[in-house]
Amino acid sequence: DAKTTQPNSMESNEEEPVHLPCNHSTISGTDYIHWYRQLPSQGPEYVIHGLTSNVNNRMASLAIAEDRKSSTLILHRATLRDAAVYYCILKTSGNTPLVFGKGTRLSVIA
Amino acid sequence: DSGVTQTPKHLITATGQRVTLRCSPRSGDLSVYWYQQSLDQGLQFLIQYYNGEERAKGNILERFSAQQFPDLHSELNLSSLELGDSALYFCASSVVAPKPTGTGIYRNTGELFFGEGSRLTVL
């Protein structure tokens, strides 16, 4: 799997938008960009994924650069519950496992 | 609640012992994945099963083995336990959805659902 690069940690104020960046300069044409998060003492949780176009769901938005070499996970209004480690993962379609990196630890300040 | 059930939630045992961790995937999910998370190694993929067959192997030690049964539940067996095996062990299952054309051919959307984990402590 192609590698991703994320900042080790980020901090946000509650109710502010958060932009979590991810670089994946070696992404291949068949790689999907997945985001998962892991809340303290819980298993990872799916957030969003996309291929080329920007994606929105009830949890977040995913903005994908035109050359697909980077992407940004956007939390529109951070809450204390959003404090977690966020993982950006490249994954081919189909029945393949996720390979986790170190992720970004997001802290949310009240 | 992800729909993936793991038991036991906590397990304490001694070095040299053997334990079995159990995972029940979401209803209808054919793939099961096992991951290990320790403080210094992060989330490591161990092994994947699909409909009873081994599909992919990651950093799984020879002392560890897994299987998936006909009812699709899976077990991870850890033997000759060492202190370094203390970790959280997560099971995940993947979404399998029929193609929109209704051909009955199932595709994997790539989304994994994780259980709450089994915390193993080896003393």
Side-chain angles (χ1 to χ4, degrees), chain A residues 6-7 12 15 21 24 27-28 30 47 64 80 88 92 98 106:
Chain A
Q6 299 178 252
S12 172
E15 299 190 7
H24 29 79
I27 191 171
S28 75
T30 56
V47 177
I64 301 173
L80 296 178
C88 169
T92 57
L98 293 167
L106 175 66

Side-chain angles (χ1 to χ4, degrees), chain A residues 89-109:
Chain A
I89 303 167
L90 300 184
K91 182 181 178 308
T92 57
S93 64
N95 213 5
T96 57
L98 293 167
V99 178
F100 289 83
K102 295 192 184 306
T104 296
R105 183 173 297 277
L106 175 66
S107 302
V108 180
I109 302 167

Side-chain angles (χ1 to χ4, degrees), chain A residues 18-22 35 47-48 60-63 71-75 86:
Chain A
V18 182
H19 291 235
L20 295 161
C22 181
W35 283 83
V47 177
I48 201 167
S61 296
L62 176 59
S71 61
T72 303
L73 179 71
I74 303 164
L75 307 179
Y86 287 78

Side-chain angles (χ1 to χ4, degrees), chain A residues 34 36 38 41-46 49 87 91-102, chain B residues 31 33 35 37 40 43 45 48 50 55-56 90 94 108-116 119:
Chain A
H34 286 249
Y36 281 73
Q38 187 173 20
S41 302
Q42 294 190 27
E45 173 187 33
Y46 168 81
H49 79 282
Y87 297 97
K91 182 181 178 308
T92 57
S93 64
N95 213 5
T96 57
L98 293 167
V99 178
F100 289 83
K102 295 192 184 306
Chain B
S31 268
Y33 309 75
Y35 287 81
Q37 186 172 35
D40 55 346
L43 269 161
F45 166 67
Q48 175 196 358
Y50 175 75
R55 183 68 176 244
F90 289 104
S94 61
N108 186 295
T109 64
E111 179 179 352
L112 267 65
F113 290 87
F114 285 79
E116 294 186 356
R119 181 177 294 280

Side-chain angles (χ1 to χ4, degrees), chain B residues 44-61:
Chain B
Q44 298 285 312
F45 166 67
L46 295 179
I47 197 163
Q48 175 196 358
Y49 278 81
Y50 175 75
N51 205 18
E53 301 286 328
E54 183 184 303
R55 183 68 176 244
K57 214 170 205 178
N59 302 323
I60 189 165
L61 299 172

